[in-house]
Amino acid sequence: MCLGIPAEVLRVEEDELRTALVSFGGAQKQVYLLYTPEAIAGDFVIVHAGFAISRVDPSEAKRVFDYLDEIGEPPPFAVPESGSNS
Amino acid sequence: MKYLDEYRSRPEAERYARLLRSSVTRPWSLMEVCGGQTHSIVRFGIDSLLPPEITLLHGPGCPVCVTPVGMIDYAIELAARPDVLFCSYGDMLRVPGSERDLFSVKAAGFDVRMVYSAMDALALAEKNQHRQIVFFAVGFETTAPAHAAAVAEAKRRGLGNFSMLVSHVLVPPAVEALLSSPESRIQGLLAAGHVCTIMGTAEYEPISARFGVPIAVTGFEPLDLLQGIALCVRRLEEGRPGVDIQYARAVRPEGNVHAKRMLQQMFEIEDREWRGIGVIPNSGFRLRPEWAAFDALRRFGGSLRFPPAAGRSSECISGLVLQGLKKPSDCKAFGTSCTPEQPAGATMVSSEGACAAYYRYRSPFSKNLI
């Protein structure tokens, strides 16, 4: 129900609802950016029930990968050192 | 798709699985609140990647599943009026009321339409000004701003033939009710990422402190869920409850201030019955009196009835499934007398209901066995 899909903003009309054309991986749809006044063409937004609920922050988008490095989890396919119990 | 596919990487998921295996020392039970998260966990087999110490409990975060039978019955009454064009999200049509569902009303020839957005219902109101357009406004905090915008827009366009049957539910009071139950096994929570894009995290800090549970505001893709679990487990192992935002690419601590302002203007809080759980104080939204002209309950009158027995099957345990107390496979009706085609309980209807997710991805009847 709370499904939210990331979409790229292609064009925004500055009307009451900030009617916009967005692309879901190529599929274009009209949605409303009323609640994301900061979102402009080229940004990604999370769309739910026809409305953008959040602008995707690109600087935060890598955190899920960085966390593994920060915590010292070895990268995939790394050969464990002999004697390691990890 | 950007911001979707990269969070489904198997090598990175295996790194998270390894991290969890190396960091967990005791058994922990975590609840994912949102049905969308449940669906992802079952679909991608996230639980099968976890060490045996970690148990995931499936939460009540499926608005379709918790809409009370009395509200469905009232919706059915409205939909069966010849002057009404009734609009609903598709999932709601097959949810059993006390005697029948909305789909059977449609099959009987009444005008029941599936819409993607409340704005689609508004467009129908504009095209059909001689008819009453009723939109079934079901959802959590995530969906409420879209519904509020439709009401505000109906007023701006002077569409007096548009109204909403509002059945909105709020997550934090339900989470508090579950954590307060003596039967609760919840030690950590994955809070619903999209609810928090709107509401932020302020409501979760006092819950974490009061119940001593770590809470990770978590997204919906496999790596999001695994990181949310890792953040919770880290806090549990260190005995340090608190709130983390895993889904930081979409959630700010303050939430969406524009949407919250609209919710303030449009809705007030009321007690709400949750199907399978009971009445939870202060857990619903209704339209404020100044928007009464758009409230279907006030426009059409009558009142909600609350029939005691829900569903068609006495075996159905969907209430316990919704509270994370039972798994779908614990139910005798699961996959036998209860299927997505003939659901006994609402958790078998919505794709985000735990029973429907288990049926699709886990049962011997599954066409997509993994």
Side-chain angles (χ1 to χ4, degrees):
Chain A
M1 181 89 202
C2 292
L3 186 68
I5 313 272
E8 184 177 7
V9 178
L10 301 178
R11 201 168 59 229
V12 189
E13 305 290 332
E14 289 304 335
D15 56 13
E16 291 279 330
L17 294 167
R18 295 198 85 224
T19 308
L21 187 67
V22 301
S23 165
F24 296 93
Q28 296 186 3
K29 194 164 171 60
Q30 178 185 289
V31 303
Y32 304 98
L33 305 192
L34 170 69
Y35 298 121
T36 52
E38 74 281 19
I40 54 171
D43 284 344
F44 277 74
V45 289
I46 307 279
V47 175
H48 168 73
F51 286 78
I53 53 173
S54 179
R55 187 183 80 91
V56 177
D57 182 342
S59 67
E60 297 284 358
K62 285 208 163 90
R63 270 190 26 181
V64 70
F65 306 100
D66 296 343
Y67 182 77
L68 287 164
D69 297 332
E70 284 161 21
I71 209 137
E73 180 54 39
F77 311 122
V79 180
E81 289 168 36
S82 63
S84 159
N85 58 2
S86 66
Chain B
M1 263 167 74
K2 194 173 176 188
Y3 295 126
L4 220 54
D5 296 337
E6 62 262 48
Y7 301 107
R8 297 178 180 179
S9 146
R10 177 163 280 277
E12 303 292 343
E14 282 167 0
R15 285 179 83 192
Y16 268 109
R18 220 160 46 215
L19 167 68
L20 284 163
R21 278 197 299 274
S22 65
S23 57
V24 71
T25 65
R26 278 164 286 172
W28 300 115
S29 294
L30 312 180
M31 174 176 273
E32 85 278 1
V33 171
C34 172
Q37 293 169 329
T38 303
H39 184 93
S40 253
I41 286 165
V42 180
R43 175 180 171 196
F44 293 107
I46 302 299
D47 44 352
S48 66
L49 289 174
L50 301 178
E53 289 88 348
I54 301 174
T55 304
L56 294 180
L57 310 169
H58 310 314
C62 163
V64 172
C65 303
V66 300
T67 301
V69 175
M71 190 67 84
I72 307 269
D73 286 347
Y74 188 85
I76 287 168
E77 268 178 45
L78 291 187
R81 287 173 60 120
D83 56 334
V84 164
L85 193 168
F86 194 87
C87 299
S88 169
Y89 297 124
D91 273 9
M92 291 306 298
L93 299 192
R94 283 186 304 113
V95 179
S98 53
E99 285 172 14
R100 54 181 177 156
D101 57 26
L102 280 164
F103 199 75
S104 69
V105 179
K106 184 178 172 65
F110 293 96
D111 203 345
V112 179
R113 310 263 183 111
M114 279 180 257
V115 293
Y116 161 73
S117 165
M119 295 302 291
D120 299 340
L122 206 67
L124 285 167
E126 201 140 41
K127 276 191 207 135
N128 299 274
Q129 301 214 359
H130 60 291
R131 302 186 66 189
Q132 288 291 328
I133 313 302
V134 181
F135 175 73
F136 199 179
V138 171
F140 281 123
E141 293 93 325
T142 318
T143 320
H147 298 166
V151 171
E153 190 62 12
K155 186 176 184 188
R156 199 178 68 82
R157 296 190 201 169
L159 293 170
N161 61 331
F162 178 81
S163 63
M164 266 189 192
L165 180 58
V166 178
S167 185
H168 264 286
V169 275
L170 304 172
V171 170
V175 164
E176 281 192 276
L178 293 183
L179 287 167
S180 303
S181 160
E183 294 171 90
S184 170
R185 291 155 58 207
I186 306 163
Q187 293 168 296
L189 276 171
L190 306 185
H194 287 145
V195 166
C196 294
T197 62
I198 303 297
M199 302 306 287
T201 56
E203 296 170 293
Y204 295 89
E205 299 281 355
I207 295 176
S208 174
R210 178 179 160 204
F211 295 97
V213 293
I215 299 177
V217 176
T218 302
F220 302 82
E221 295 305 318
L223 295 186
D224 291 325
L225 290 157
L226 285 162
Q227 189 188 15
I229 294 165
L231 291 168
C232 260
V233 166
R234 186 180 187 179
R235 284 189 177 274
L236 284 166
E237 290 283 341
E238 292 172 0
R240 196 171 47 85
V243 178
D244 293 303
I245 302 180
Q246 182 282 323
Y247 195 38
R249 64 185 181 279
V251 175
R252 329 283 174 244
E254 70 279 14
N256 184 322
V257 292
H258 310 283
K260 282 204 292 192
R261 196 178 309 129
M262 178 67 114
L263 295 182
Q264 272 286 324
Q265 290 168 9
M266 191 67 61
F267 297 113
E268 57 190 12
I269 288 171
E270 66 173 357
D271 298 347
R272 172 77 70 207
E273 188 197 343
W274 292 52
R275 186 174 192 155
I277 298 178
V279 174
I280 300 177
N282 301 317
S283 69
F285 272 151
R286 67 170 165 228
L287 285 169
R288 287 186 178 278
E290 51 269 41
W291 297 93
F294 297 96
D295 187 338
L297 268 170
R298 291 179 186 148
R299 180 170 300 181
F300 295 96
S303 57
L304 300 178
R305 289 183 302 275
F306 294 103
R312 292 178 201 158
S313 163
S314 57
E315 293 173 323
C316 174
I317 58 165
S318 58
L320 299 172
V321 172
L322 277 170
Q323 298 171 67
L325 298 172
K326 292 278 185 193
K327 297 265 183 193
S329 41
D330 296 331
C331 181
K332 282 183 192 161
F334 176 76
T336 54
S337 62
C338 178
T339 64
E341 289 74 34
Q342 285 289 322
T347 44
M348 187 57 102
V349 176
S350 167
S351 65
E352 293 174 0
C355 296
Y358 272 67
Y359 185 90
R360 179 158 175 202
Y361 298 113
R362 293 284 159 84
S363 80
F365 318 99
S366 169
K367 295 188 180 85
N368 300 292
L369 208 58
I370 49 173

PDB file of all heavy atoms in Angstrom, chain B residues 318-349:
ATOM      1  N   SER B 318      -5.989 -14.344  11.061  1.00  0.00           N
ATOM      2  CA  SER B 318      -5.294 -13.178  10.496  1.00  0.00           C
ATOM      3  C   SER B 318      -4.988 -12.109  11.547  1.00  0.00           C
ATOM      4  O   SER B 318      -3.995 -11.393  11.432  1.00  0.00           O
ATOM      5  CB  SER B 318      -6.094 -12.591   9.333  1.00  0.00           C
ATOM      6  OG  SER B 318      -7.379 -12.220   9.754  1.00  0.00           O
ATOM      7  N   GLY B 319      -5.825 -12.011  12.589  1.00  0.00           N
ATOM      8  CA  GLY B 319      -5.550 -11.036  13.640  1.00  0.00           C
ATOM      9  C   GLY B 319      -4.227 -11.316  14.343  1.00  0.00           C
ATOM     10  O   GLY B 319      -3.458 -10.403  14.633  1.00  0.00           O
ATOM     11  N   LEU B 320      -3.953 -12.597  14.576  1.00  0.00           N
ATOM     12  CA  LEU B 320      -2.691 -12.968  15.231  1.00  0.00           C
ATOM     13  C   LEU B 320      -1.507 -12.804  14.284  1.00  0.00           C
ATOM     14  O   LEU B 320      -0.413 -12.433  14.691  1.00  0.00           O
ATOM     15  CB  LEU B 320      -2.773 -14.420  15.736  1.00  0.00           C
ATOM     16  CG  LEU B 320      -3.865 -14.687  16.781  1.00  0.00           C
ATOM     17  CD1 LEU B 320      -3.997 -16.180  17.070  1.00  0.00           C
ATOM     18  CD2 LEU B 320      -3.559 -13.926  18.078  1.00  0.00           C
ATOM     19  N   VAL B 321      -1.754 -13.078  12.978  1.00  0.00           N
ATOM     20  CA  VAL B 321      -0.703 -12.896  11.981  1.00  0.00           C
ATOM     21  C   VAL B 321      -0.313 -11.419  11.909  1.00  0.00           C
ATOM     22  O   VAL B 321       0.872 -11.068  11.875  1.00  0.00           O
ATOM     23  CB  VAL B 321      -1.169 -13.414  10.596  1.00  0.00           C
ATOM     24  CG1 VAL B 321      -0.166 -13.059   9.502  1.00  0.00           C
ATOM     25  CG2 VAL B 321      -1.381 -14.931  10.638  1.00  0.00           C
ATOM     26  N   LEU B 322      -1.320 -10.543  11.935  1.00  0.00           N
ATOM     27  CA  LEU B 322      -1.070  -9.096  11.856  1.00  0.00           C
ATOM     28  C   LEU B 322      -0.250  -8.571  13.031  1.00  0.00           C
ATOM     29  O   LEU B 322       0.415  -7.556  12.923  1.00  0.00           O
ATOM     30  CB  LEU B 322      -2.407  -8.339  11.876  1.00  0.00           C
ATOM     31  CG  LEU B 322      -3.152  -8.208  10.574  1.00  0.00           C
ATOM     32  CD1 LEU B 322      -4.537  -7.656  10.829  1.00  0.00           C
ATOM     33  CD2 LEU B 322      -2.393  -7.280   9.635  1.00  0.00           C
ATOM     34  N   GLN B 323      -0.362  -9.254  14.157  1.00  0.00           N
ATOM     35  CA  GLN B 323       0.371  -8.803  15.340  1.00  0.00           C
ATOM     36  C   GLN B 323       1.715  -9.498  15.500  1.00  0.00           C
ATOM     37  O   GLN B 323       2.403  -9.313  16.500  1.00  0.00           O
ATOM     38  CB  GLN B 323      -0.480  -9.046  16.600  1.00  0.00           C
ATOM     39  CG  GLN B 323      -1.774  -8.253  16.581  1.00  0.00           C
ATOM     40  CD  GLN B 323      -2.710  -8.641  17.710  1.00  0.00           C
ATOM     41  OE1 GLN B 323      -2.417  -8.404  18.878  1.00  0.00           O
ATOM     42  NE2 GLN B 323      -3.832  -9.249  17.369  1.00  0.00           N
ATOM     43  N   GLY B 324       2.076 -10.301  14.517  1.00  0.00           N
ATOM     44  CA  GLY B 324       3.362 -10.990  14.576  1.00  0.00           C
ATOM     45  C   GLY B 324       3.371 -12.145  15.563  1.00  0.00           C
ATOM     46  O   GLY B 324       4.428 -12.659  15.905  1.00  0.00           O
ATOM     47  N   LEU B 325       2.179 -12.571  16.020  1.00  0.00           N
ATOM     48  CA  LEU B 325       2.130 -13.643  17.025  1.00  0.00           C
ATOM     49  C   LEU B 325       2.095 -15.027  16.374  1.00  0.00           C
ATOM     50  O   LEU B 325       2.443 -16.022  16.987  1.00  0.00           O
ATOM     51  CB  LEU B 325       0.907 -13.465  17.939  1.00  0.00           C
ATOM     52  CG  LEU B 325       0.899 -12.155  18.749  1.00  0.00           C
ATOM     53  CD1 LEU B 325      -0.436 -11.972  19.470  1.00  0.00           C
ATOM     54  CD2 LEU B 325       2.049 -12.115  19.755  1.00  0.00           C
ATOM     55  N   LYS B 326       1.633 -15.084  15.137  1.00  0.00           N
ATOM     56  CA  LYS B 326       1.591 -16.349  14.391  1.00  0.00           C
ATOM     57  C   LYS B 326       2.096 -16.104  12.972  1.00  0.00           C
ATOM     58  O   LYS B 326       1.991 -15.000  12.446  1.00  0.00           O
ATOM     59  CB  LYS B 326       0.145 -16.874  14.291  1.00  0.00           C
ATOM     60  CG  LYS B 326      -0.447 -17.330  15.619  1.00  0.00           C
ATOM     61  CD  LYS B 326      -0.011 -18.736  15.975  1.00  0.00           C
ATOM     62  CE  LYS B 326      -0.715 -19.198  17.254  1.00  0.00           C
ATOM     63  NZ  LYS B 326      -0.103 -20.406  17.793  1.00  0.00           N
ATOM     64  N   LYS B 327       2.603 -17.184  12.356  1.00  0.00           N
ATOM     65  CA  LYS B 327       2.989 -17.130  10.946  1.00  0.00           C
ATOM     66  C   LYS B 327       1.796 -17.618  10.104  1.00  0.00           C
ATOM     67  O   LYS B 327       0.999 -18.439  10.593  1.00  0.00           O
ATOM     68  CB  LYS B 327       4.178 -18.061  10.677  1.00  0.00           C
ATOM     69  CG  LYS B 327       5.448 -17.676  11.420  1.00  0.00           C
ATOM     70  CD  LYS B 327       6.347 -16.824  10.548  1.00  0.00           C
ATOM     71  CE  LYS B 327       7.641 -16.511  11.295  1.00  0.00           C
ATOM     72  NZ  LYS B 327       8.434 -15.477  10.670  1.00  0.00           N
ATOM     73  N   PRO B 328       1.704 -17.186   8.848  1.00  0.00           N
ATOM     74  CA  PRO B 328       0.598 -17.652   8.007  1.00  0.00           C
ATOM     75  C   PRO B 328       0.506 -19.175   7.955  1.00  0.00           C
ATOM     76  O   PRO B 328      -0.585 -19.738   7.994  1.00  0.00           O
ATOM     77  CB  PRO B 328       0.948 -17.088   6.628  1.00  0.00           C
ATOM     78  CG  PRO B 328       1.737 -15.859   6.928  1.00  0.00           C
ATOM     79  CD  PRO B 328       2.534 -16.188   8.163  1.00  0.00           C
ATOM     80  N   SER B 329       1.662 -19.834   7.924  1.00  0.00           N
ATOM     81  CA  SER B 329       1.650 -21.292   7.798  1.00  0.00           C
ATOM     82  C   SER B 329       1.140 -21.980   9.068  1.00  0.00           C
ATOM     83  O   SER B 329       0.888 -23.189   9.053  1.00  0.00           O
ATOM     84  CB  SER B 329       3.056 -21.798   7.447  1.00  0.00           C
ATOM     85  OG  SER B 329       4.018 -21.095   8.202  1.00  0.00           O
ATOM     86  N   ASP B 330       0.963 -21.231  10.165  1.00  0.00           N
ATOM     87  CA  ASP B 330       0.365 -21.810  11.375  1.00  0.00           C
ATOM     88  C   ASP B 330      -1.151 -21.965  11.239  1.00  0.00           C
ATOM     89  O   ASP B 330      -1.796 -22.566  12.098  1.00  0.00           O
ATOM     90  CB  ASP B 330       0.634 -20.914  12.603  1.00  0.00           C
ATOM     91  CG  ASP B 330       2.113 -20.817  12.934  1.00  0.00           C
ATOM     92  OD1 ASP B 330       2.837 -21.784  12.639  1.00  0.00           O
ATOM     93  OD2 ASP B 330       2.537 -19.781  13.480  1.00  0.00           O
ATOM     94  N   CYS B 331      -1.748 -21.381  10.188  1.00  0.00           N
ATOM     95  CA  CYS B 331      -3.206 -21.348  10.065  1.00  0.00           C
ATOM     96  C   CYS B 331      -3.706 -22.565   9.283  1.00  0.00           C
ATOM     97  O   CYS B 331      -3.179 -22.885   8.213  1.00  0.00           O
ATOM     98  CB  CYS B 331      -3.627 -20.061   9.344  1.00  0.00           C
ATOM     99  SG  CYS B 331      -5.405 -19.914   9.171  1.00  0.00           S
ATOM    100  N   LYS B 332      -4.734 -23.231   9.836  1.00  0.00           N
ATOM    101  CA  LYS B 332      -5.296 -24.408   9.167  1.00  0.00           C
ATOM    102  C   LYS B 332      -5.927 -24.060   7.824  1.00  0.00           C
ATOM    103  O   LYS B 332      -5.976 -24.874   6.913  1.00  0.00           O
ATOM    104  CB  LYS B 332      -6.377 -25.044  10.053  1.00  0.00           C
ATOM    105  CG  LYS B 332      -5.824 -25.867  11.187  1.00  0.00           C
ATOM    106  CD  LYS B 332      -6.985 -26.521  11.948  1.00  0.00           C
ATOM    107  CE  LYS B 332      -6.501 -27.100  13.262  1.00  0.00           C
ATOM    108  NZ  LYS B 332      -7.606 -27.322  14.195  1.00  0.00           N
ATOM    109  N   ALA B 333      -6.456 -22.827   7.737  1.00  0.00           N
ATOM    110  CA  ALA B 333      -7.154 -22.440   6.510  1.00  0.00           C
ATOM    111  C   ALA B 333      -6.177 -22.067   5.390  1.00  0.00           C
ATOM    112  O   ALA B 333      -6.544 -22.055   4.215  1.00  0.00           O
ATOM    113  CB  ALA B 333      -8.086 -21.267   6.798  1.00  0.00           C
ATOM    114  N   PHE B 334      -4.915 -21.781   5.742  1.00  0.00           N
ATOM    115  CA  PHE B 334      -3.935 -21.262   4.779  1.00  0.00           C
ATOM    116  C   PHE B 334      -3.757 -22.226   3.602  1.00  0.00           C
ATOM    117  O   PHE B 334      -3.380 -23.386   3.780  1.00  0.00           O
ATOM    118  CB  PHE B 334      -2.587 -21.037   5.473  1.00  0.00           C
ATOM    119  CG  PHE B 334      -1.483 -20.583   4.549  1.00  0.00           C
ATOM    120  CD1 PHE B 334      -1.441 -19.274   4.099  1.00  0.00           C
ATOM    121  CD2 PHE B 334      -0.501 -21.461   4.122  1.00  0.00           C
ATOM    122  CE1 PHE B 334      -0.437 -18.853   3.238  1.00  0.00           C
ATOM    123  CE2 PHE B 334       0.504 -21.055   3.259  1.00  0.00           C
ATOM    124  CZ  PHE B 334       0.538 -19.739   2.821  1.00  0.00           C
ATOM    125  N   GLY B 335      -4.069 -21.724   2.412  1.00  0.00           N
ATOM    126  CA  GLY B 335      -3.851 -22.518   1.208  1.00  0.00           C
ATOM    127  C   GLY B 335      -4.900 -23.589   0.969  1.00  0.00           C
ATOM    128  O   GLY B 335      -4.889 -24.242  -0.065  1.00  0.00           O
ATOM    129  N   THR B 336      -5.794 -23.792   1.931  1.00  0.00           N
ATOM    130  CA  THR B 336      -6.863 -24.779   1.733  1.00  0.00           C
ATOM    131  C   THR B 336      -8.187 -24.049   1.523  1.00  0.00           C
ATOM    132  O   THR B 336      -8.575 -23.781   0.393  1.00  0.00           O
ATOM    133  CB  THR B 336      -6.924 -25.768   2.922  1.00  0.00           C
ATOM    134  OG1 THR B 336      -7.038 -25.030   4.141  1.00  0.00           O
ATOM    135  CG2 THR B 336      -5.669 -26.608   2.985  1.00  0.00           C
ATOM    136  N   SER B 337      -8.854 -23.671   2.634  1.00  0.00           N
ATOM    137  CA  SER B 337     -10.112 -22.926   2.447  1.00  0.00           C
ATOM    138  C   SER B 337      -9.841 -21.437   2.208  1.00  0.00           C
ATOM    139  O   SER B 337     -10.727 -20.692   1.829  1.00  0.00           O
ATOM    140  CB  SER B 337     -11.023 -23.115   3.662  1.00  0.00           C
ATOM    141  OG  SER B 337     -10.413 -22.594   4.824  1.00  0.00           O
ATOM    142  N   CYS B 338      -8.602 -20.985   2.408  1.00  0.00           N
ATOM    143  CA  CYS B 338      -8.269 -19.564   2.227  1.00  0.00           C
ATOM    144  C   CYS B 338      -7.159 -19.406   1.194  1.00  0.00           C
ATOM    145  O   CYS B 338      -6.049 -19.907   1.382  1.00  0.00           O
ATOM    146  CB  CYS B 338      -7.834 -18.978   3.574  1.00  0.00           C
ATOM    147  SG  CYS B 338      -7.342 -17.248   3.475  1.00  0.00           S
ATOM    148  N   THR B 339      -7.485 -18.768   0.083  1.00  0.00           N
ATOM    149  CA  THR B 339      -6.516 -18.519  -0.987  1.00  0.00           C
ATOM    150  C   THR B 339      -6.722 -17.089  -1.475  1.00  0.00           C
ATOM    151  O   THR B 339      -7.740 -16.476  -1.146  1.00  0.00           O
ATOM    152  CB  THR B 339      -6.755 -19.475  -2.185  1.00  0.00           C
ATOM    153  OG1 THR B 339      -8.058 -19.171  -2.736  1.00  0.00           O
ATOM    154  CG2 THR B 339      -6.707 -20.934  -1.784  1.00  0.00           C
ATOM    155  N   PRO B 340      -5.791 -16.536  -2.264  1.00  0.00           N
ATOM    156  CA  PRO B 340      -6.012 -15.168  -2.760  1.00  0.00           C
ATOM    157  C   PRO B 340      -7.302 -15.035  -3.579  1.00  0.00           C
ATOM    158  O   PRO B 340      -7.909 -13.975  -3.615  1.00  0.00           O
ATOM    159  CB  PRO B 340      -4.778 -14.906  -3.628  1.00  0.00           C
ATOM    160  CG  PRO B 340      -3.725 -15.779  -3.031  1.00  0.00           C
ATOM    161  CD  PRO B 340      -4.450 -17.027  -2.593  1.00  0.00           C
ATOM    162  N   GLU B 341      -7.738 -16.130  -4.225  1.00  0.00           N
ATOM    163  CA  GLU B 341      -8.982 -16.072  -5.005  1.00  0.00           C
ATOM    164  C   GLU B 341     -10.197 -16.073  -4.081  1.00  0.00           C
ATOM    165  O   GLU B 341     -11.212 -15.472  -4.389  1.00  0.00           O
ATOM    166  CB  GLU B 341      -9.076 -17.257  -5.977  1.00  0.00           C
ATOM    167  CG  GLU B 341      -8.097 -17.199  -7.149  1.00  0.00           C
ATOM    168  CD  GLU B 341      -6.663 -17.513  -6.739  1.00  0.00           C
ATOM    169  OE1 GLU B 341      -6.448 -18.339  -5.825  1.00  0.00           O
ATOM    170  OE2 GLU B 341      -5.741 -16.897  -7.313  1.00  0.00           O
ATOM    171  N   GLN B 342     -10.104 -16.804  -2.969  1.00  0.00           N
ATOM    172  CA  GLN B 342     -11.205 -16.905  -2.000  1.00  0.00           C
ATOM    173  C   GLN B 342     -10.653 -16.606  -0.608  1.00  0.00           C
ATOM    174  O   GLN B 342     -10.540 -17.497   0.228  1.00  0.00           O
ATOM    175  CB  GLN B 342     -11.788 -18.329  -2.018  1.00  0.00           C
ATOM    176  CG  GLN B 342     -12.653 -18.640  -3.232  1.00  0.00           C
ATOM    177  CD  GLN B 342     -13.983 -17.894  -3.204  1.00  0.00           C
ATOM    178  OE1 GLN B 342     -14.582 -17.734  -2.147  1.00  0.00           O
ATOM    179  NE2 GLN B 342     -14.423 -17.393  -4.349  1.00  0.00           N
ATOM    180  N   PRO B 343     -10.304 -15.350  -0.339  1.00  0.00           N
ATOM    181  CA  PRO B 343      -9.653 -15.064   0.940  1.00  0.00           C
ATOM    182  C   PRO B 343     -10.623 -15.126   2.114  1.00  0.00           C
ATOM    183  O   PRO B 343     -11.741 -14.642   2.025  1.00  0.00           O
ATOM    184  CB  PRO B 343      -9.138 -13.631   0.747  1.00  0.00           C
ATOM    185  CG  PRO B 343     -10.036 -13.033  -0.299  1.00  0.00           C
ATOM    186  CD  PRO B 343     -10.470 -14.154  -1.184  1.00  0.00           C
ATOM    187  N   ALA B 344     -10.187 -15.741   3.206  1.00  0.00           N
ATOM    188  CA  ALA B 344     -10.996 -15.760   4.426  1.00  0.00           C
ATOM    189  C   ALA B 344     -10.671 -14.530   5.273  1.00  0.00           C
ATOM    190  O   ALA B 344     -11.526 -13.993   5.953  1.00  0.00           O
ATOM    191  CB  ALA B 344     -10.718 -17.032   5.219  1.00  0.00           C
ATOM    192  N   GLY B 345      -9.432 -14.113   5.225  1.00  0.00           N
ATOM    193  CA  GLY B 345      -9.010 -12.950   6.007  1.00  0.00           C
ATOM    194  C   GLY B 345      -8.280 -11.965   5.119  1.00  0.00           C
ATOM    195  O   GLY B 345      -7.769 -12.325   4.054  1.00  0.00           O
ATOM    196  N   ALA B 346      -8.243 -10.713   5.589  1.00  0.00           N
ATOM    197  CA  ALA B 346      -7.688  -9.655   4.754  1.00  0.00           C
ATOM    198  C   ALA B 346      -6.201  -9.827   4.477  1.00  0.00           C
ATOM    199  O   ALA B 346      -5.690  -9.341   3.467  1.00  0.00           O
ATOM    200  CB  ALA B 346      -7.945  -8.305   5.409  1.00  0.00           C
ATOM    201  N   THR B 347      -5.485 -10.527   5.360  1.00  0.00           N
ATOM    202  CA  THR B 347      -4.041 -10.701   5.120  1.00  0.00           C
ATOM    203  C   THR B 347      -3.766 -11.581   3.903  1.00  0.00           C
ATOM    204  O   THR B 347      -2.649 -11.662   3.436  1.00  0.00           O
ATOM    205  CB  THR B 347      -3.354 -11.355   6.341  1.00  0.00           C
ATOM    206  OG1 THR B 347      -4.175 -12.439   6.786  1.00  0.00           O
ATOM    207  CG2 THR B 347      -3.175 -10.372   7.474  1.00  0.00           C
ATOM    208  N   MET B 348      -4.801 -12.266   3.380  1.00  0.00           N
ATOM    209  CA  MET B 348      -4.644 -13.062   2.168  1.00  0.00           C
ATOM    210  C   MET B 348      -5.002 -12.242   0.917  1.00  0.00           C
ATOM    211  O   MET B 348      -4.771 -12.683  -0.200  1.00  0.00           O
ATOM    212  CB  MET B 348      -5.526 -14.325   2.256  1.00  0.00           C
ATOM    213  CG  MET B 348      -5.349 -15.324   1.134  1.00  0.00           C
ATOM    214  SD  MET B 348      -3.648 -15.925   0.936  1.00  0.00           S
ATOM    215  CE  MET B 348      -3.745 -17.539   1.716  1.00  0.00           C
ATOM    216  N   VAL B 349      -5.539 -11.039   1.111  1.00  0.00           N
ATOM    217  CA  VAL B 349      -6.016 -10.253  -0.030  1.00  0.00           C
ATOM    218  C   VAL B 349      -4.909  -9.387  -0.613  1.00  0.00           C
ATOM    219  O   VAL B 349      -4.522  -9.511  -1.765  1.00  0.00           O
ATOM    220  CB  VAL B 349      -7.211  -9.368   0.374  1.00  0.00           C
ATOM    221  CG1 VAL B 349      -7.621  -8.483  -0.807  1.00  0.00           C
ATOM    222  CG2 VAL B 349      -8.377 -10.215   0.831  1.00  0.00           C
TER     223      VAL B 349
END
